[in-house]
Amino acid sequence: MLNSHDILETINMIDNEHLDVRTITMGISLLDCLDPDMDKACDKVYDKICRYAGDLVKTGEQISKDYGIPIINKRISVTPIAMVAAACPGKNPVAFAKALDRAANTTGVNFIGGYSALVHKGFGPGDYALIESIPEALAETNLVCSSVNIGSTKAGINMDAVEKMGKVIHQAAELTKDRECIGAAKLVVFCNAPEDNPFMAGAFHGPGEPDCVINVGVSGPGVVRAALAKAENHDITQIADLIKKTAFKITRMGQLVAQEASRRLSVPFGIIDLSLAPTPAVGDSVAYILEEMGLESCGAHGTTAALALLNDAVKKGGVMASSHVGGLSGAFIPVSEDAGMIKAARNGCLTLNKLEAMTAVCSVGLDMIVIPGDTTPEIISAIIADEAAIGMVNSKTTAVRVIPAIGKKPGEEIDFGGLLGYGPIMEVNRSSPLKFIQRGGRIPAPLQSLKN
């Protein structure tokens, strides 16, 4: 039962510690929109999205007003478009991207995700054409996000797809170089992609999901940092316990919003993603949480251990607060979206190699990292392969969202605006992996995949 202390504590979290619900995301299946006539299929896609999500933004704003809880984003995720495009062989899938963009504008959402393909074991009908079209699709739309799953613990890593995605990322940046290479910032390459992730740019509505569902992503790194700031004399065990209790409170708020949105929209509640999602706002930073534990700077030796503690404690605390936890759930480390990460990258304490080590224990991977514009596609592919290997072997989701800053070099910066933030251009290892990447084939699944 709530008491006055709980209520005042929550108000303080919202007013002073950046507590918010980061997104209400409606997942919509488009499997009943398949049609060999692409124009008819696009009309079906647009009509269904607008029919289901027409009241999503209004409902989110009303819940925010009724409960005094900031709800930052209202978003839509859809069935991987490669599955829909497969019914239209020989046609350019960009038409679907434009239909998604129109629907996003009509419904008023911030982003729509699902211009996606699942190719961890190989290319099916529609997959290759969609992947080829991603740079054009992201250049010609504003609100569409794209993702490609190239590996899994069960299937191994599709190295042909890995090679392709290095080129696709570079092309996406090149085609939007007049807009700070924003195309690459809306594209994620996954290993072990979850089907119910509410966070962009990697959200899609998996084929195992219901026809329509509400998923909610919470946030609150500022709340965790504020709690740790009052725990000067705590040992590590006490720190972990404090983070668990704080994550519980954050997730309970998300559960309330999810249930209300589900009830008001008459759509089933899916999951709460209890990830700590930072923003460029000072104080709303995962890096600052790690520093509050006792590190001089994020990236120092000890950062990976501190992040492992944080990620585990967030999951343990949050899972007790919700009936269904899913998505990514943990601690995000997107460089350009985290004020503390930006600072550490600027001063050279946080490097790409250290970030890769950190992805072994965080909830996603190499996220929103700006790299030099002359980075070759095969180096980008090799970065993807390394990250996918970490996810495959450790049975966890990993992802790569790197942005080649066309025409810019290490030490310069790029500014995306809004929640995507800004970031320094980080140096990459220039030794060539070309021959390795060009071999193609598939990295076999690890022994731990044989769990049946």
Side-chain angles (χ1 to χ4, degrees):
M1 185 175 180
L2 291 176
N3 57 40
S4 59
H5 173 76
D6 293 328
I7 295 169
L8 291 172
E9 184 180 47
T10 302
I11 291 171
N12 181 61
M13 288 177 180
I14 292 170
D15 289 345
N16 302 312
E17 297 170 2
H18 305 283
L19 177 62
D20 59 58
V21 168
R22 186 56 46 85
T23 180
I24 296 177
T25 300
M26 177 179 281
I28 302 173
S29 172
L30 301 181
L31 292 176
D32 57 347
C33 298
L34 274 67
D35 196 297
D37 184 318
M38 179 166 278
D39 291 336
K40 290 181 179 178
C42 287
D43 287 343
K44 290 179 181 179
V45 165
Y46 174 82
D47 290 343
K48 183 170 185 179
I49 293 171
C50 292
R51 185 169 71 252
Y52 277 55
D55 292 332
L56 177 62
V57 172
K58 179 178 69 176
T59 300
E61 291 172 350
Q62 191 60 52
I63 293 172
S64 181
K65 180 180 178 181
D66 290 348
Y67 289 92
I69 297 170
I71 300 173
I72 308 302
N73 290 296
K74 278 69 72 175
R75 298 164 171 167
I76 297 168
S77 64
V78 299
T79 301
I81 290 296
M83 296 181 178
V84 184
C88 309
K91 303 292 180 64
N92 187 348
V94 171
F96 286 106
K98 293 178 178 179
L100 295 180
D101 207 44
R102 280 195 303 127
N105 278 294
T106 300
T107 56
V109 295
N110 305 94
F111 284 113
I112 185 165
Y115 199 76
S116 307
L118 310 178
V119 295
H120 37 284
K121 209 166 184 177
F123 298 97
D127 290 333
Y128 199 84
L130 182 125
I131 290 172
E132 284 270 299
S133 74
I134 287 173
E136 181 186 355
L138 297 180
E140 296 191 8
T141 60
N142 293 315
L143 303 178
V144 173
C145 292
S146 179
S147 60
V148 177
N149 191 65
I150 52 82
S152 72
T153 300
K154 200 73 177 172
I157 300 171
N158 181 349
M159 291 300 291
D160 295 314
V162 168
E163 180 186 16
K164 188 65 184 170
M165 289 313 299
K167 297 173 182 175
V168 167
I169 289 170
H170 202 279
Q171 290 167 1
E174 185 70 47
L175 288 181
T176 54
K177 62 184 177 182
D178 59 332
R179 289 174 281 159
E180 302 285 44
C181 306
I182 190 68
K186 297 188 294 175
L187 171 58
V188 182
V189 183
F190 276 115
C191 178
N192 290 321
E195 295 191 357
D196 54 7
N197 166 28
F199 285 102
M200 296 298 170
F204 64 87
H205 188 70
E209 294 288 298
D211 190 50
C212 188
V213 71
I214 287 291
N215 298 320
V216 167
V218 296
S219 186
V223 177
V224 176
R225 185 196 180 194
L228 293 181
K230 303 167 187 173
E232 183 69 29
N233 298 318
H234 282 36
D235 66 20
I236 291 298
T237 304
Q238 292 170 317
I239 289 290
D241 193 51
L242 180 59
I243 294 171
K244 283 194 296 183
K245 292 176 180 177
T246 306
F248 179 89
K249 295 171 184 175
I250 294 170
T251 308
R252 287 304 290 171
M253 184 190 73
Q255 175 83 3
L256 169 65
V257 170
Q259 289 175 331
E260 272 300 295
S262 172
R263 182 181 66 81
R264 296 185 188 194
L265 291 165
S266 299
V267 172
F269 160 54
I271 57 94
I272 297 290
D273 186 317
L274 48 89
S275 297
L276 295 182
T279 72
V282 175
D284 198 25
S285 161
V286 169
Y288 288 153
I289 295 174
L290 306 179
E291 292 172 9
E292 202 67 60
M293 291 186 196
L295 301 173
E296 181 179 358
S297 173
C298 178
H301 293 299
T303 298
T304 306
L307 182 59
L309 181 156
L310 173 64
N311 204 53
D312 179 67
V314 166
K315 291 176 185 286
K316 287 175 177 174
V319 77
M320 293 295 293
S322 175
S323 51
H324 298 288
V325 170
L328 298 165
S329 289
F332 287 1
I333 52 171
V335 175
S336 79
E337 299 176 14
D338 187 305
M341 296 278 178
I342 294 168
K343 179 182 176 183
R346 276 177 176 163
N347 65 29
C349 190
L350 186 62
T351 65
L352 197 55
N353 285 343
K354 186 59 178 177
L355 280 163
E356 183 181 295
M358 293 165 66
T359 63
V361 299
C362 76
S363 66
V364 195
L366 296 172
D367 194 16
M368 287 304 292
I369 296 170
V370 189
I371 59 177
D374 62 355
T375 304
T376 62
E378 61 266 20
I379 288 178
I380 298 173
S381 292
I383 291 171
I384 293 169
D386 283 345
E387 198 58 30
I390 291 173
M392 176 185 71
V393 171
N394 291 287
S395 302
K396 70 184 294 292
T397 300
T398 50
V400 171
R401 183 163 49 151
V402 295
I403 302 96
I406 305 301
K408 297 191 177 185
K409 299 178 180 179
E412 298 182 72
E413 295 194 355
I414 195 167
D415 190 342
F416 304 105
L419 285 176
L420 293 177
Y422 59 95
I425 297 168
M426 303 180 73
E427 185 55 276
V428 300
N429 187 326
R430 299 287 177 154
S431 296
S432 177
L434 180 60
K435 186 174 180 180
F436 173 70
I437 295 300
Q438 287 184 337
R439 288 182 181 275
R442 184 152 53 97
I443 295 178
L447 190 61
Q448 54 265 45
S449 68
L450 301 177
K451 293 183 177 178
N452 291 339

